[in-house]
C-alpha cells in the first residue's frame, strides 16, 4: 500500500502533471480558467459591466460544501467497507493455506496442491473482478476449491465422520466465507452513488464555478 509521508512533498509535486485525478478534471478546469480569463479581460477593456452580488454566491458555496462533503464521506465509507472485506479475505486465505498443509496434504497431496493453486488464484480473480476485466470469476475459483475438498474426503464409515472429515467441513465453511466476500465486493462495485445525486452535484458545481468570476467582479466593484 502506498503511504504518503511529509518527506515526499517534492516527489508528489513533480508527479502532479501525471496525476490521474488531474487528467480527469483537466477539461473542466481549463473551461473555468478560460471563462475567468475572458471575464477579466472584458472588464479591463470596458466591454463587460455584468456582475453578480457576492452574498448569494457565498450562501450557495456553503450548500455546495455540504454536497461535496457528503460525497467525500460516501466515498470513504465505500473504501473502508472494501478494506474490511479485504482484511477478512486475507485472514481466511491464510487459514485455508495452513489447514490445507496440515489436514489435506498428508492424506491427499494432489488435492492439497490443486487446492492451494486455486487459493492463490482467488485474490487475483477478486482484483480483476473489481477492475471489471474479463477473467475467471472468484466464484469459479471457490467452486474449484470445494471440488478439491470433496475429493480429499475419506469414505464415510458407520462410525460417523472423524476428525479429518470435520476439519474438511470447517475448510468448506471458510471457502463459503470467500464466496460471501465476493458478493460483498460485487455489491460495492455495482452500487455507485445515485445518478440523480451525482448529476445534481456536478451541475451545481459547474454553474457555481462558471459564475464565480462575475461574483468576484461584483465584490471588487463594491
Amino acid at each position: 500500500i502506498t503511504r504518503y509521508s511529509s518527506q515526499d512533498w517534492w516527489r508528489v509535486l513533480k508527479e502532479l502533471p501525471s496525476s490521474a485525478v488531474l487528467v480527469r478534471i483537466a477539461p473542466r478546469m481549463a473551461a473555468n480558467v478560460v471563462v475567468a480569463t475572458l471575464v477579466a479581460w472584458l472588464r479591463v477593456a470596458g466591454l463587460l459591466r455584468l456582475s453578480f452580488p457576492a452574498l448569494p454566491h457565498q450562501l450557495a458555496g456553503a450548500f455546495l460544501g455540504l454536497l461535496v462533503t457528503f460525497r467525500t464521506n460516501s466515498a470513504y465509507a465505500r473504501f473502508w467497507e472494501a478494506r474490511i472485506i479485504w482484511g477478512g479475505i486475507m485472514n481466511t486465505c491464510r487459514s485455508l493455506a495452513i489447514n490445507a498443509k496440515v489436514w489435506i496434504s498428508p492424506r491427499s497431496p494432489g488435492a492439497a496442491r490443486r487446492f492451494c493453486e486455486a487459493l492463490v488464484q482467488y485474490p487475483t480473480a477478486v482484483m480483476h473482478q473489481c477492475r471489471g476485466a474479463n477473467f475467471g470469476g472468484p466464484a469459479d475459483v471457490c467452486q474449484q476449491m470445494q471440488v478439491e475438498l470433496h475429493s480429499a474426503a475419506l469414505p464415510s464409515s458407520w462410525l460417523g465422520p472423524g476428525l479429518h472429515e470435520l476439519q474438511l467441513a470447517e475448510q468448506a465453511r471458510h471457502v463459503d466465507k470467500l464466496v460471501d466476500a465476493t458478493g460483498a465486493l460485487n455489491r460495492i462495485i455495482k452500487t455507485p452513488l445515485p445518478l440523480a445525486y451525482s448529476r445534481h452535484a456536478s451541475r451545481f458545481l459547474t454553474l457555481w464555478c462558471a459564475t464565480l468570476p462575475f461574483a468576484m467582479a461584483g465584490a471588487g466593484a463594491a
Side-chain angles (χ1 to χ4, degrees), residues 154-167 169:
L154 297 177
S156 58
S157 65
W158 65 273
L159 295 175
L163 183 59
H164 180 74
E165 287 74 18
L166 293 177
Q167 286 295 329

Side-chain angles (χ1 to χ4, degrees), residues 150-187:
H150 180 269
S151 66
L154 297 177
S156 58
S157 65
W158 65 273
L159 295 175
L163 183 59
H164 180 74
E165 287 74 18
L166 293 177
Q167 286 295 329
L168 292 183
E170 182 65 22
Q171 301 318 303
R173 284 191 287 270
H174 282 309
V175 175
D176 290 338
K177 291 181 181 179
L178 295 182
V179 177
D180 294 339
T182 300
L185 289 174
N186 192 59
R187 182 188 69 246

Side-chain angles (χ1 to χ4, degrees), residues 47-72:
L47 302 177
L48 180 65
R49 299 296 181 183
L50 179 63
S51 61
F52 298 153
L55 181 60
H57 211 267
Q58 293 174 357
L59 296 177
F63 288 107
L64 181 60
L66 293 177
L67 287 175
V68 174
T69 300
F70 175 77
R71 187 180 181 92
T72 303

Side-chain angles (χ1 to χ4, degrees), residues 117-157:
E117 290 175 354
L119 184 61
V120 170
Q121 292 176 4
Y122 179 81
T124 304
V126 169
M127 178 190 67
H128 286 285
Q129 179 195 21
C130 294
R131 294 181 176 180
N134 294 326
F135 190 79
D140 298 333
V141 179
C142 292
Q143 181 180 1
Q144 180 61 33
M145 285 190 282
Q146 294 284 24
V147 169
E148 300 304 332
L149 288 175
H150 180 269
S151 66
L154 297 177
S156 58
S157 65

Side-chain angles (χ1 to χ4, degrees), residues 9-10 21-22 24 41 47 52 64 74-75 85 128 134 137 141 153 173 178 182 184 194 205 211 217 222:
W9 65 272
W10 178 243
V21 176
L22 182 60
R24 291 180 60 185
W41 180 79
L47 302 177
F52 298 153
L64 181 60
S74 300
I85 296 172
H128 286 285
N134 294 326
V141 179
R173 284 191 287 270
L178 295 182
T182 300
L205 179 61
T211 56

Side-chain angles (χ1 to χ4, degrees), residues 34-110:
V34 169
V35 170
T37 303
L38 182 61
V39 170
W41 180 79
L42 291 176
R43 288 189 64 85
V44 171
L47 302 177
L48 180 65
R49 299 296 181 183
L50 179 63
S51 61
F52 298 153
L55 181 60
H57 211 267
Q58 293 174 357
L59 296 177
F63 288 107
L64 181 60
L66 293 177
L67 287 175
V68 174
T69 300
F70 175 77
R71 187 180 181 92
T72 303
N73 291 340
S74 300
Y76 185 77
R78 289 159 58 87
F79 164 79
W80 186 244
E81 182 183 2
R83 185 63 187 87
I84 293 176
I85 296 172
W86 181 249
I89 289 175
M90 293 172 59
N91 295 334
T92 304
C93 288
R94 291 191 185 104
S95 178
L96 286 171
I98 294 172
N99 284 280
K101 181 67 174 178
V102 174
W103 292 101
I104 306 177
S105 183
R107 298 193 180 187
S108 183

Side-chain angles (χ1 to χ4, degrees), residues 167-218:
Q167 286 295 329
L168 292 183
E170 182 65 22
Q171 301 318 303
R173 284 191 287 270
H174 282 309
V175 175
D176 290 338
K177 291 181 181 179
L178 295 182
V179 177
D180 294 339
T182 300
L185 289 174
N186 192 59
R187 182 188 69 246
I188 297 176
I189 297 170
K190 300 297 183 180
T191 311
L193 291 176
L195 181 61
Y197 172 81
S198 298
R199 287 184 174 179
H200 178 69
S202 178
R203 291 165 181 168
F204 192 6
L205 179 61
T206 300
L207 292 176
W208 191 86
C209 291
T211 56
L212 180 60
F214 298 98
M216 295 180 66

